[in-house]
Amino acid sequence: MGSGTVPMKGRPSWHDITITDLESDNGLLVTHINQTQDLLRVQKRKMQSNEVQTTEEWLRNHSLESMQLTLEDLLKKGDVVLNARNASEQIEFTAKTVVNFESKLTEALELYHQRIQWLLEDSRKVFGLIKGNKVGVLIDVSDISCGPRLLEFQKDLLCLIDEQLCYKKQLYFLSFGTEISSLWENPTNVNVHVLHEARQWVQELQPSGGCNLLKALKKVLTMRELNSLLLIIGSCPDQSSEMLSDYIQQCTLGRKLLIHAVTYECSNHVPPAVLKNLAEVVGGRYHCYSSKSENYDSSDVCLLLCESQKAKNVLNSIKETFQGRIGDSVIGRIQDISTEFTELTPTSFLPKPPKHEGPLVIQMPGFLAKTSVGWLKTNGLKAKKLSLYQVLAPNAFSPVEEFVPILQKTVSSTLHEKAMMQFEWHDGTVKNVHVDPPILYDYQKQLGRMVRTYERRINWLSIASRRIWGTVCGQRVVILVDISVTNSLYIIHIQHSLRLLLEEQMSNKDFFNIIAFGSDIKSWKPEMVPSNPENLQNAWRWVLSLQCKGSRNVMSALRRAVEVDLKDKDKHLSQGLYLLTTGVPDQEMHAVSAYVADVCGGCDLHLHVCLFNVNSFDPSGIIPSRYASPNETASIFREIVHAANGRFHWFGETGIYESDDISIIVTEMEKAVNYSQKCALLVESLKQRSGSHLVNQFIPEEDLKILLKKERSRAQELLPPKPTALTLARMNIKDNHEGEKNAALRALTWRPTSAKAEIPPPQPVKEWPQASEKKKHKSKKQPQISFSVFYTDKGKNVGAVYRKYPKTKSVRRSVPFATLPKENEICSSKEWLNKYSIKKLKLYLPRMMFGPNCIHQKKMVESLHKKVSAKYCTIFPSVEINGIVKHLQFQPKELEDYVEQMERVLHCYIQRIQWLLSGSRRLFGTILETKVCILIDTSGSMDPYLQQVTKELTSLIWEQLRKSNARFNLLRFAEDIDTWQECLVEATDETCHDAVQWVSKFQAHAFCFQDVEALYVLTDGKPDTSCSLILKEVEKIRKKQTIKIHTISFNCSDRRANEFLKKLASQTGGRYHRCIGDVDGQLTAHRMLTEGFDDEDDPVFPFFEGDDLKKLAQEVAKARSFLIQAKSFRLLLEKWNLDQKDKFLKKKKSSVILTDSRSYP
């Protein structure tokens, strides 16, 4: 019908209707309910697969910054107006703007809550969100992980496969316990059959020993096609997190691999901490699940909670800031809003203690604090006259020795030895002591009371502010506080620590100041001020305003404190610097140590370090300028503190890890316990000599009853009965198996067959033949044989039953267990290898495996007129060694034991090389003697390197000379000679400080010391005079005085100069050392310890020219070659055994066939 036609009567006209709100067909416009449900299920799976985003990726579009919901975004929505009354600028917001902004923040909070709820549903609750489309799954099946909860674990794994892993492109499954087991050899594309195999494999998992995660990583990280790795662990790995993280970082270098670590139902807190640390170090994600706890520690959830807290803080700031309302607008001062915005730092998200920002509650200490060293001067065992040697001294007498002219020798008196007890004195001598039990008993009681006093002292040091700072003892105190950016999450802890210090320990000081340092230095006051309540309150308000930024410029903070606050340090007593920090300083340890040793020497100034152990995670992503592990950091500050005569205190959130104050108290307690044990030994020795009744009469009745009960409980040993003549005769049969015709013996050993038999008269026995037998065979050791003798029914025959047979000597040498040192010994490599070389450990492979009987030989047989091999040649496999055919007579198990021992030896060798390449030993080698002189070349060619040599020499003084209490001197030579001291001096703290100061003044431009054992000469080239002339002069000097000369080649590439230094050291019995290849050596050692010793040619140590390193590197190469040979021999034996087994089966089969053919002609 056209548009111009007239409509019919009674019928409405047609209209073109356009539907604008009609939704597009989404596939659900169907006519059957089953089809609708299928489409809904498919749509839900597509939605799930599209939402696989980590929280970090999801927040890129839903964070407060991306949704423009920060306070800065709110400020942009307001209008600036001028107040006519006070001409101040104000910012005006409409009520609608503020309400809309608050509603959007509320919606964002709800969105974060929904995301968290979604993450804690289904398999995501147990394993987290799995990212990546080519996933490798490593499952821990150790006994601890799978033993008690295997069925539940398998159920959760099946749920993970059905809900998340089924959407991936490729999968790879591997289980690990003590050994590893994989489902497929390579990653496999996902399909229905692959998922079915995975489900069956999961249902067949069984517990398998330990948790060898490193072995599983070595297997899976070789598969380059994987882009995601899922670690599911229920127990603590066998390897440390540092070793695992280093291995992952090395294998994933230049490769993008997502690491997702999951801890499953761990009752112990150690595995989650290890996996969390591992994930953070390698840049991965972690998820910790426990069905017993509702708190889920997950990287995804933590990010959402942090963002949610930011939104809540913005809402609170809006409510606190906008107070006045005019009409439908909200007005506030621009200054107030800006201040509110700038104060919204990450610290506002951190939990705070109660009344954290309130005023201080200052306490006045009732007594002056003392260090534990000072406290023990009045409360120690020696101060209380409770040292064991002080107690025994009145009754202790030295042995009397006199020369007897008639005997022409010195004779010692034995009277005291019989009447008294011998006791070793503290100086190593033995004295005769009269033991008085009542005195020793009372002395032990006093020791017990002192131990309880020391325990109370330790408890007092472990509470309140002393748990963080130790005891603050100085009267003029400067506090240095680390506010670097890495402490952003711990600023509340640092502020609270300062609050406790100001409240409890600073009110009785004379003067104080606080310096905060990051990259820049902030001082509370220009100089120190009196420590009164007003100044303490002002200092606390200043501490509350601190914000973390920058790195750790410790040196600048120390310089500021020493040069400004403590500029008159020489005029005052009792001064202290207290450094609170969380990591290593920006400067090198040698520089800081040298500086503090210089400024603290000669005055009463000490540097004390309080190290706060925190995690190294930085939320802003800023990497610190220098990083070290907690143990390395503690070691660095320990050296710095000891150089400054201070105290070291290391603590964390869980308690005190190390404290010099507590350590010295613990040492005193151990000394008291040791004294008490020695008293008990003295009393026990007296009881054994004189009888217990002489001692018991001096012990009180109550204590005596307890001791008597213990004595009665002990089993008393009875003496064996005295043998009769008949017994001796029967025992004689053991040594006379053939019998003797001695009538006397026959009479004693004869027994009638019945009671009616007549007994012959006995004859006198003149002597026992067994005595003469013993004399004859006394020198020759007889094998121990145990048997019982009995009479038989026939005549006078005697029978015997053997109970113990003589031990047979084994012809084959078993693999010995290598006894290796637990700590590094201070000796040369030559001396060290004399005790721990492969030959000394009896692990020399050719000598163990190939004796004289192992050589394959052929002998001429005259009847055959040719050479024929021996019969045993077909029994053992053969190998060719250096052109000679030899037989292997070892078993695979013995070779496996040899491989295990050799790997232990190699680990020991490599750790020794690492030790030689560390610290001052890298440049100077190991100082062996106790009376040494160090000669340093300061000629013009050494000018560019003097600063480096100075640092290393400072380290040598403190690290080796001071620790060994050596007597030493220093000498520098160029055109002239300059000595530090006129003679050798002992290495005390004062002399070491003085030596470091003298070394720091090095500039570029007839020797006679008494009692010098060795010289250590460091130079960079040949001498100005003739080398042969020097060698001759040195030989003349050695005829008068035996001195070893150890030479050190520093940055010298002249071959002739190095050869001269080698000759000089060799001629005088010294060692040659050259610090070259140390970096490559450390890297090679690290690779060997982490990668193993499977390849003999990679990695290989660089060529060391120094004697110590060269000998060790050669021994390592020899050990590696033996290890490779042993492994190849083991494979050869296993293959040979399989071949022999196959030959036997074929032979048996052929014989069966032959028998059958004969049965049926």
Side-chain angles (χ1 to χ4, degrees):
M1 182 183 293
S3 60
T5 58
V6 179
M8 295 177 62
K9 186 177 180 180
R11 184 177 179 181
S13 58
W14 292 96
H15 297 282
D16 292 333
I17 300 175
T18 304
I19 301 175
T20 59
D21 59 346
L22 183 63
E23 295 182 357
S24 59
D25 185 6
N26 58 2
L28 301 178
L29 302 178
V30 293
T31 57
H32 197 275
I33 185 65
N34 292 335
Q35 187 177 0
T36 303
Q37 291 176 351
D38 293 340
L39 289 171
L40 281 171
R41 192 179 300 110
V42 171
Q43 187 185 31
K44 180 180 179 182
R45 289 190 176 182
K46 287 183 178 180
M47 180 182 66
Q48 286 183 350
S49 63
N50 292 332
E51 287 183 357
V52 177
Q53 287 184 322
T54 63
T55 300
E56 187 177 3
E57 296 170 344
W58 185 81
L59 285 176
R60 292 173 186 171
N61 300 322
H62 299 88
S63 64
L64 296 182
E65 289 80 4
S66 61
M67 293 189 296
Q68 297 181 351
L69 292 177
T70 62
L71 279 179
E72 188 177 9
D73 297 318
L74 178 60
L75 293 176
K76 294 178 181 178
K77 298 178 181 294
D79 298 325
V80 179
V81 297
L82 185 64
N83 191 345
R85 296 180 180 179
N86 52 11
S88 62
E89 291 184 344
Q90 294 180 336
I91 190 166
E92 183 179 85
F93 299 88
T94 62
K96 183 178 180 181
T97 301
V98 177
V99 171
N100 289 338
F101 196 83
E102 289 181 340
S103 65
K104 290 181 179 179
L105 280 173
T106 306
E107 292 175 0
L109 282 171
E110 183 64 25
L111 185 63
Y112 298 150
H113 180 70
Q114 292 176 0
R115 175 77 180 183
I116 292 174
Q117 291 296 324
W118 180 76
L119 286 173
L120 298 180
E121 291 176 353
D122 303 327
S123 63
R124 294 181 295 275
K125 177 180 179 181
V126 181
F127 301 102
L129 191 63
I130 311 303
K131 183 67 176 173
N133 55 7
K134 298 178 181 179
V135 183
V137 184
L138 272 64
I139 302 173
D140 175 16
V141 292
S142 60
D143 294 337
I144 298 177
S145 176
C146 294
R149 49 176 182 265
L150 179 59
L151 294 177
E152 185 179 352
F153 185 42
Q154 291 172 333
K155 182 180 178 182
D156 291 333
L157 287 174
L158 292 175
C159 183
L160 173 67
I161 294 174
D162 294 337
E163 293 182 3
Q164 295 194 60
L165 299 182
C166 61
Y167 301 114
K168 308 302 180 183
K169 290 184 179 179
Q170 286 186 349
L171 290 177
Y172 180 78
F173 287 91
L174 185 141
S175 64
F176 62 94
T178 303
E179 300 295 334
I180 61 175
S181 175
S182 59
L183 175 58
W184 306 296
E185 288 296 326
N186 297 303
T188 308
N189 294 326
V190 175
N191 54 47
V192 177
H193 300 291
V194 166
L195 294 175
H196 181 66
E197 289 181 9
R199 294 188 189 96
Q200 285 186 334
W201 182 77
V202 167
Q203 292 174 354
E204 295 173 358
L205 291 177
Q206 293 295 328
S208 174
C211 182
N212 194 349
L213 178 56
L214 181 61
K215 192 171 186 179
L217 289 173
K218 287 182 178 181
K219 173 72 173 177
V220 76
L221 289 178
T222 57
M223 301 175 183
R224 311 288 296 183
E225 55 266 44
L226 296 177
N227 58 17
S228 179
L229 196 59
L230 173 62
L231 310 177
I232 304 174
I233 297 179
S235 61
C236 192
D238 296 343
Q239 297 81 18
S240 63
S241 60
E242 291 82 2
M243 181 185 296
L244 295 172
S245 59
D246 288 345
Y247 182 77
I248 293 175
Q249 287 176 330
Q250 291 176 10
C251 293
T252 58
L253 191 64
R255 173 185 175 189
K256 189 175 181 180
L257 181 65
L258 303 173
I259 305 292
H260 183 70
V262 178
T263 58
Y264 180 85
E265 290 284 3
C266 290
S267 57
N268 191 354
H269 68 280
V270 176
V274 172
L275 265 294
K276 183 177 179 181
N277 182 41
L278 174 65
E280 289 176 350
V281 170
V282 301
R285 297 159 50 239
Y286 63 90
H287 184 88
C288 304
Y289 167 73
S290 176
S291 59
K292 299 178 182 179
S293 174
E294 295 298 328
N295 298 323
Y296 299 95
D297 191 4
S298 170
S299 54
D300 288 336
V301 175
C302 288
L303 289 174
L304 287 171
L305 291 176
C306 184
E307 200 70 19
S308 177
Q309 186 63 38
K310 286 182 182 180
K312 291 178 183 178
N313 283 287
V314 173
L315 279 174
N316 294 334
S317 300
I318 292 174
K319 293 177 181 178
E320 294 174 2
T321 303
F322 303 109
Q323 301 294 336
R325 288 180 177 272
I326 301 176
D328 62 343
S329 63
V330 180
I331 299 177
R333 291 187 178 182
I334 289 181
Q335 293 85 351
D336 296 340
I337 298 172
S338 301
T339 303
E340 190 73 25
F341 174 70
T342 55
E343 289 181 354
L344 192 65
T345 59
T347 59
S348 59
F349 307 144
L350 302 174
K352 299 178 181 179
K355 300 180 181 179
H356 176 70
E357 298 179 355
L360 299 176
V361 182
I362 299 174
Q363 306 171 13
M364 180 60 68
F367 54 89
L368 289 176
K370 291 183 179 180
T371 64
S372 291
V373 175
W375 185 79
L376 286 176
K377 289 180 180 178
T378 55
N379 296 278
L381 295 176
K382 193 173 183 179
K384 295 289 185 180
K385 296 183 179 180
L386 289 177
S387 171
L388 178 60
Y389 307 104
Q390 290 174 317
V391 175
L392 296 178
N395 297 323
F397 305 93
S398 299
V400 179
E401 295 183 353
E402 290 185 0
F403 180 77
V404 180
I406 299 175
L407 301 177
Q408 293 296 317
K409 65 178 181 179
T410 302
V411 179
S412 60
S413 173
T414 60
L415 177 63
H416 291 87
E417 296 180 2
K418 296 178 180 179
M420 299 182 182
M421 308 301 301
Q422 283 67 50
F423 184 72
E424 184 178 357
W425 216 244
H426 57 81
D427 57 357
T429 60
V430 177
K431 293 193 176 185
N432 299 313
V433 178
H434 172 67
V435 178
D436 194 350
I439 294 177
L440 292 182
Y441 187 75
D442 293 337
Y443 173 63
Q444 284 183 314
K445 285 188 174 181
Q446 293 178 12
L447 288 177
R449 288 193 291 270
M450 291 305 300
V451 168
R452 289 189 289 272
T453 302
Y454 296 149
E455 289 175 349
R456 289 194 295 271
R457 170 77 179 182
I458 292 176
N459 292 334
W460 181 77
L461 289 171
S462 304
I463 59 175
S465 62
R466 294 175 294 276
R467 174 182 172 274
I468 302 169
W469 300 89
T471 53
V472 179
C473 304
Q475 292 302 307
R476 295 167 57 86
V477 177
V478 179
I479 305 167
L480 309 176
V481 184
D482 176 9
I483 56 169
S484 58
V485 70
T486 52
N487 294 337
S488 300
L489 290 179
Y490 300 94
I491 185 62
I492 301 299
H493 294 73
I494 294 173
Q495 290 174 347
H496 186 65
S497 302
L498 285 167
R499 180 187 178 95
L500 292 176
L501 177 66
L502 295 174
E503 286 181 341
E504 298 178 5
Q505 300 196 58
M506 294 302 298
S507 57
N508 62 345
K509 308 304 176 190
D510 294 338
F511 294 90
F512 82 104
N513 198 1
I514 303 177
I515 297 174
F517 63 92
S519 297
D520 301 324
I521 310 301
K522 294 181 180 180
S523 178
W524 169 54
K525 293 292 184 181
E527 293 183 350
M528 286 197 293
V529 297
S531 181
N532 53 46
E534 182 181 358
N535 286 333
L536 291 175
Q537 296 287 358
N538 294 334
W540 170 241
R541 285 191 287 271
W542 179 79
V543 167
L544 288 173
S545 64
L546 293 178
Q547 295 183 10
C548 296
K549 59 178 68 175
S551 57
R552 294 188 187 91
N553 194 352
V554 174
M555 182 67 83
S556 297
L558 289 172
R559 289 185 181 276
R560 167 65 175 76
V562 172
E563 296 173 3
V564 179
D565 294 283
L566 300 170
K567 58 185 177 182
D568 298 328
K569 57 185 175 64
D570 298 331
K571 302 178 182 179
H572 299 279
L573 298 176
S574 188
Q575 304 169 102
L577 293 167
Y578 287 82
L579 171 63
L580 177 64
T581 183
T582 59
V584 292
D586 294 346
Q587 296 79 17
E588 292 288 339
M589 181 196 71
H590 307 295
V592 180
S593 298
Y595 177 74
V596 296
D598 186 21
V599 299
C600 294
C603 62
D604 191 6
L605 175 62
H606 308 280
L607 170 64
H608 312 285
V609 173
C610 305
L611 178 60
F612 182 23
N613 188 58
V614 300
N615 295 328
S616 58
F617 175 71
D618 184 11
S620 62
I622 300 175
I623 302 175
S625 58
R626 294 189 70 220
Y627 172 76
S629 66
N631 290 330
E632 291 172 347
T633 304
S635 178
I636 289 171
F637 279 112
R638 201 180 292 115
E639 293 290 335
I640 293 174
V641 163
H642 293 166
N645 295 324
R647 289 170 290 140
F648 177 66
H649 187 84
W650 184 16
F651 70 99
E653 296 179 357
T654 57
I656 299 173
Y657 303 141
E658 180 182 344
S659 172
D660 288 347
D661 278 336
I662 294 178
S663 297
I664 194 170
I665 300 294
V666 172
T667 303
E668 199 74 6
M669 291 175 63
E670 293 174 349
K671 191 185 298 183
V673 173
N674 184 28
Y675 287 164
S676 181
Q677 292 175 351
K678 288 184 177 180
C679 287
L681 290 175
L682 279 173
V683 175
E684 186 67 25
S685 301
L686 181 64
K687 290 169 66 177
Q688 292 178 1
R689 174 177 291 187
S690 59
S692 60
H693 63 279
L694 296 176
V695 182
N696 294 341
Q697 62 183 349
F698 301 105
I699 302 177
E701 294 182 2
E702 297 179 358
D703 299 334
L704 183 60
K705 292 179 181 179
I706 300 174
L707 295 174
L708 288 175
K709 287 182 181 179
K710 294 182 179 179
E711 291 290 337
R712 290 169 186 169
S713 62
R714 297 179 183 174
Q716 296 182 357
E717 296 182 358
L718 298 177
L719 295 174
K722 187 176 181 180
T724 62
L726 180 61
T727 305
L728 291 174
R730 291 174 180 172
M731 292 172 61
N732 185 58
I733 299 177
K734 299 179 182 179
D735 300 326
N736 301 280
H737 301 292
E738 298 179 357
E740 295 183 0
K741 298 180 179 180
N742 193 332
L745 288 177
R746 287 202 306 270
L748 288 172
T749 58
W750 177 84
R751 172 173 285 186
T753 57
S754 66
K756 296 180 180 179
E758 295 181 358
I759 300 176
Q763 298 181 9
V765 180
K766 295 181 180 179
E767 63 175 2
W768 300 108
Q770 60 178 4
S772 61
E773 288 293 326
K774 287 184 178 179
K775 291 180 181 178
K776 292 179 182 178
H777 302 286
K778 187 174 182 180
S779 60
K780 185 178 180 180
K781 291 185 178 180
Q782 296 293 336
Q784 295 182 358
I785 305 172
S786 176
F787 59 90
S788 60
V789 183
F790 60 91
Y791 287 102
T792 62
D793 294 335
K794 296 181 181 180
K796 295 174 278 185
N797 295 332
V798 179
V801 177
Y802 283 83
R803 294 177 180 175
K804 184 178 179 181
Y805 291 91
K807 294 182 179 180
T808 58
K809 294 184 179 179
S810 177
V811 178
R812 179 182 301 165
R813 296 181 181 180
S814 61
V815 178
F817 182 81
T819 304
L820 300 172
K822 296 181 179 179
E823 297 181 355
N824 287 305
E825 300 179 2
I826 300 177
C827 59
S828 64
S829 292
K830 183 178 180 181
E831 297 172 352
W832 194 81
L833 289 174
N834 283 338
K835 295 186 288 184
Y836 305 112
S837 66
I838 299 175
K839 284 188 177 180
K840 290 295 180 180
L841 295 175
K842 299 180 180 180
L843 292 175
Y844 197 73
L845 186 62
R847 185 176 297 176
M848 292 180 64
M849 295 193 64
F850 306 114
N853 296 329
C854 296
I855 301 175
H856 177 73
Q857 297 178 348
K858 292 184 177 181
K859 291 187 177 181
M860 178 64 69
V861 178
E862 296 180 357
S863 59
L864 300 176
H865 302 288
K866 65 177 181 179
K867 290 185 177 181
V868 180
S869 301
K871 292 182 179 180
Y872 63 81
C873 291
T874 57
I875 301 176
F876 302 105
S878 303
V879 293
E880 185 176 347
I881 306 294
N882 297 328
I884 301 174
V885 178
K886 296 186 177 183
H887 298 290
L888 290 177
Q889 297 184 6
F890 260 43
Q891 296 299 324
K893 181 62 173 64
E894 293 172 323
L895 285 171
E896 186 176 346
D897 294 340
Y898 179 84
V899 169
E900 180 182 353
Q901 294 302 318
M902 189 55 68
E903 287 180 347
R904 288 182 59 246
V905 172
L906 274 171
H907 273 85
C908 181
Y909 288 169
I910 293 169
Q911 288 172 359
R912 175 81 179 180
I913 289 178
Q914 287 183 323
W915 181 72
L916 290 175
L917 291 174
S918 64
S920 59
R921 291 175 294 274
R922 182 187 65 84
L923 179 60
F924 290 96
T926 309
I927 305 298
L928 306 180
E929 297 79 9
T930 57
K931 298 176 182 179
V932 298
C933 180
I934 313 297
L935 281 69
I936 307 297
D937 180 5
T938 57
S939 58
S941 59
M942 288 286 292
D943 188 25
Y945 313 106
L946 281 182
Q947 186 176 2
Q948 179 185 355
V949 173
T950 301
K951 291 180 180 179
E952 297 292 343
L953 189 55
T954 302
S955 177
L956 172 71
I957 293 171
W958 287 106
E959 184 182 2
Q960 297 196 57
L961 298 178
R962 180 65 184 92
K963 287 184 178 180
S964 61
N965 294 322
R967 298 184 63 200
F968 73 102
N969 201 349
L970 305 175
L971 182 146
R972 55 189 176 199
F973 62 93
E975 296 178 355
D976 299 324
I977 296 176
D978 184 15
T979 60
W980 169 51
Q981 299 287 345
E982 295 181 358
C983 59
L984 297 181
V985 296
E986 293 186 3
T988 62
D989 291 344
E990 292 77 8
T991 55
C992 289
H993 289 307
D994 191 13
V996 170
Q997 292 178 2
W998 184 82
V999 166
S1000 62
K1001 299 175 183 177
F1002 273 177
Q1003 297 177 358
H1005 33 160
F1007 170 74
C1008 181
F1009 282 142
Q1010 296 296 328
D1011 299 331
V1012 175
E1013 295 178 352
L1015 303 178
Y1016 288 80
V1017 184
L1018 184 143
T1019 181
D1020 67 340
K1022 289 196 304 181
D1024 298 335
T1025 57
S1026 171
C1027 297
S1028 59
L1029 180 61
I1030 292 177
L1031 295 175
K1032 291 179 182 178
E1033 291 296 326
V1034 167
E1035 191 62 31
K1036 291 180 182 179
I1037 294 174
R1038 278 178 52 82
K1039 290 180 180 179
K1040 300 178 182 178
Q1041 184 180 2
T1042 303
I1043 299 177
K1044 292 182 180 180
I1045 300 179
H1046 306 278
T1047 56
I1048 303 164
S1049 174
F1050 177 76
N1051 200 34
C1052 178
S1053 57
D1054 188 352
R1055 184 177 59 83
R1056 293 183 179 179
N1058 290 327
E1059 289 295 330
F1060 163 70
L1061 293 177
K1062 289 180 182 178
K1063 288 181 180 179
L1064 180 59
S1066 176
Q1067 180 176 321
T1068 58
R1071 293 167 295 134
Y1072 170 73
H1073 182 77
R1074 186 182 181 192
C1075 55
I1076 185 172
D1078 53 332
V1079 178
D1080 295 336
Q1082 286 280 18
L1083 180 60
T1084 302
H1086 178 71
R1087 287 186 58 193
M1088 285 185 183
L1089 292 177
T1090 54
E1091 297 176 6
F1093 312 101
D1094 295 332
D1095 191 353
E1096 185 179 359
D1097 299 326
D1098 183 47
V1100 178
F1101 279 115
F1103 179 70
F1104 294 122
E1105 295 188 19
D1107 293 340
D1108 283 342
L1109 290 170
K1110 185 178 181 180
K1111 286 182 173 63
L1112 266 179
Q1114 290 173 351
E1115 197 72 12
V1116 168
K1118 187 190 299 182
R1120 292 180 70 182
S1121 66
F1122 287 167
L1123 182 64
I1124 297 299
Q1125 287 181 20
K1127 290 182 178 180
S1128 62
F1129 291 158
R1130 184 177 60 183
L1131 293 175
L1132 177 62
L1133 279 172
E1134 291 175 352
K1135 183 180 178 182
W1136 189 84
N1137 289 335
L1138 289 175
D1139 293 342
Q1140 292 296 320
K1141 187 175 180 180
D1142 293 341
K1143 289 180 181 178
F1144 175 76
L1145 292 176
K1146 289 180 180 178
K1147 186 176 181 181
K1148 186 176 181 181
K1149 186 176 180 180
S1150 61
S1151 63
V1152 171
I1153 295 173
L1154 182 60
T1155 304
D1156 293 342
S1157 62
R1158 289 177 179 176
S1159 301
Y1160 301 97

